[in-house]
Amino acid sequence: DAGVIQSPRHEVTEMGQEVTLRCKPISGHNSLFWYRQTMMRGLELLIYFNNNVPIDDSGMPEDRFSAKMPNASFSTLKIQPSEPRDSAVYFCASSLSGEDQPQHFGDGTRLSIL
Amino acid sequence: QKEVEQNSGPLSVPEGAIASLNCTYSDRGSQSFFWYRQYSGKSPELIMFIYSNGDKEDGRFTAQLNKASQYVSLLIRDSQPSDSATYLCAVPTDTGRRALTFGSGTRLQVQP
């Protein structure tokens, strides 16, 4: 079975540009998570969805960040406008719905904002 | 805000030794705990999950949970150079126990 698929793997863009990160969860998984990882702050939860509905977006840094899940097999994380401090590795993870289900991570998107 | 604390390391052990990784957490109500392994430049992968007090063994890995003292440990027996990675402890963040709060991770180096 395919795991969580993220694209692009790497993104380099200039400050002020719009960035869109994409994620395809594992088929049958009802919960989807977006994390950001930096050396300074470690792995932080940005937002998660359950059955395509955003449940907790308290980790989204500010209004420049938005996430959508239009259907069970696709989610996007958008940054507009991007800033150098947004440079990080962004991971998408998915799990079955319910308590204590293990999360499976995608390979991540390494984002560099110049 | 739940907190999960780990020593950043690096923890260096010789090949064949037991590596002991520790994690403390702030919320006494936490019920379940996860250990993830992350190789450099890769994504985290789940290696252990523990719910009950006591020990849980899976191959060379043993997770130990002590709820009274609010710590969870991961023991790696017969450590191999391929075990060299960062180990992340995580606890559920919310009452629905879906999202996770991760510790900063402990970097393990197994010396051949």
Side-chain angles (χ1 to χ4, degrees), chain A residues 79-93:
Chain A
I79 308 172
Q80 168 62 19
S82 57
E83 297 182 3
R85 60 192 168 121
D86 302 330
S87 298
V89 180
Y90 290 80
F91 289 106
C92 176

Side-chain angles (χ1 to χ4, degrees), chain A residues 31 33 35 37 43 45 48 50 55 91 97-103 105-107 110, chain B residues 32 34 36 38 41-44 46 49 51 88 92 94-100 102:
Chain A
S31 296
F33 309 83
Y35 291 91
Q37 188 172 38
L43 195 59
L45 177 70
Y48 83 92
N50 192 54
I55 303 299
F91 289 106
S97 190
E99 299 174 349
D100 302 329
Q101 293 294 330
Q103 295 181 19
F105 283 74
D107 289 336
R110 185 173 296 275
Chain B
S32 51
F34 298 81
Y36 282 79
Q38 186 175 25
K42 302 296 185 181
S43 60
L46 180 71
F49 160 62
Y51 182 85
L88 302 163
D94 61 351
T95 54
R97 305 218 298 269
R98 296 191 186 99
L100 296 175
F102 283 84

Side-chain angles (χ1 to χ4, degrees), chain A:
Chain A
D1 285 341
V4 175
I5 299 173
Q6 290 187 248
S7 64
R9 290 294 310 277
H10 303 275
E11 175 88 10
V12 180
T13 192
E14 292 188 347
M15 181 176 64
Q17 297 298 306
E18 178 179 291
V19 174
T20 299
L21 310 181
R22 297 172 176 80
C23 176
K24 176 179 170 58
I26 292 172
S27 178
H29 281 190
N30 305 89
S31 296
L32 182 140
F33 309 83
W34 282 101
Y35 291 91
R36 177 173 67 176
Q37 188 172 38
T38 61
M39 288 293 292
M40 290 296 296
R41 300 177 66 88
L43 195 59
E44 304 174 279
L45 177 70
L46 300 177
I47 185 171
Y48 83 92
F49 297 83
N50 192 54
N51 293 324
N52 311 339
V53 176
I55 303 299
D56 182 0
D57 65 354
S58 60
M60 296 285 264
E62 49 198 90
D63 291 346
R64 297 184 298 107
F65 285 68
S66 63
K68 293 182 179 180
M69 191 165 187
N71 56 61
S73 60
F74 184 66
S75 177
T76 59
L77 177 67
K78 189 172 292 187
I79 308 172
Q80 168 62 19
S82 57
E83 297 182 3
R85 60 192 168 121
D86 302 330
S87 298
V89 180
Y90 290 80
F91 289 106
C92 176
S94 71
S95 73
L96 292 170
S97 190
E99 299 174 349
D100 302 329
Q101 293 294 330
Q103 295 181 19
H104 301 267
F105 283 74
D107 289 336
T109 295
R110 185 173 296 275
L111 178 63
S112 297
I113 308 297
L114 306 178

Side-chain angles (χ1 to χ4, degrees), chain B residues 89-108:
Chain B
C89 173
V91 299
T93 301
D94 61 351
T95 54
R97 305 218 298 269
R98 296 191 186 99
L100 296 175
T101 296
F102 283 84
S104 57
T106 298
R107 187 156 63 95
L108 173 67

